[in-house]
């Protein structure tokens, strides 16, 4: 199990780079600090939304290799589309 705590704040993810090995079970604790944000990865069909000040925890099996972009899919604030990070599955 690979565990990461990721925060979304001021339209940025921290950390913005996650690296795991293929087939790792990945557990992410995602906190939206300032306003609602989501942690989304299209290729893994992940869309996890957290309200302001809230945390969501989820797990997935990193069974596909490659770099993947994670991003905030919420549209209430246009700057959310600038929130991006990279999940590397090697
Ligand atoms: Cu957002």
């Amino acid at each position: 199990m690979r565990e990461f705590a990721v925060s979304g704040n001021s339209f940025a993810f921290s950390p913005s780079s996650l690296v795991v090995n293929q087939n790792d079970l990945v557990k992410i604790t995602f906190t939206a600090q300032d306003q609602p944000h989501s942690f989304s990865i299209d290729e893994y069909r992940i869309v996890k939304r957290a309200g302001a000040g809230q945390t969501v925890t989820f797990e997935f099996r990193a069974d596909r290799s490659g770099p993947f972009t994670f991003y905030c899919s919420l549209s209430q604030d246009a700057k959310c589309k600038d929130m991006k990070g990279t999940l590397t599955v090697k």
Side-chain angles (χ1 to χ4, degrees):
M1 172 95 75
R2 301 293 312 279
E3 296 191 39
F4 299 95
V6 179
S7 72
N9 195 35
S10 299
F11 306 108
F13 289 102
S14 179
S16 61
S17 177
L18 308 177
V19 180
V20 302
N21 292 314
Q22 189 166 12
N23 293 319
D24 279 351
L25 184 60
V26 180
K27 179 178 183 179
I28 293 180
T29 300
F30 174 60
T31 301
Q33 294 194 337
D34 53 350
Q35 64 182 71
H37 293 297
S38 81
F39 184 104
S40 305
I41 303 177
D42 288 347
E43 293 85 349
Y44 279 100
R45 299 183 184 279
I46 292 170
V47 182
K48 297 295 180 182
R49 182 188 187 281
Q54 296 186 332
T55 295
V56 292
T57 300
F58 54 96
E59 298 176 11
F60 62 99
R61 179 76 60 185
D63 56 359
R64 304 180 63 180
S65 67
F68 302 103
T69 297
F70 59 86
Y71 66 99
C72 177
S73 63
L74 304 190
S75 57
Q76 65 199 5
D77 192 314
K79 291 180 183 167
C80 276
K81 72 178 183 337
D82 296 329
M83 289 180 70
K84 287 187 170 61
T86 303
L87 168 71
T88 302
V89 182
K90 57 184 184 181

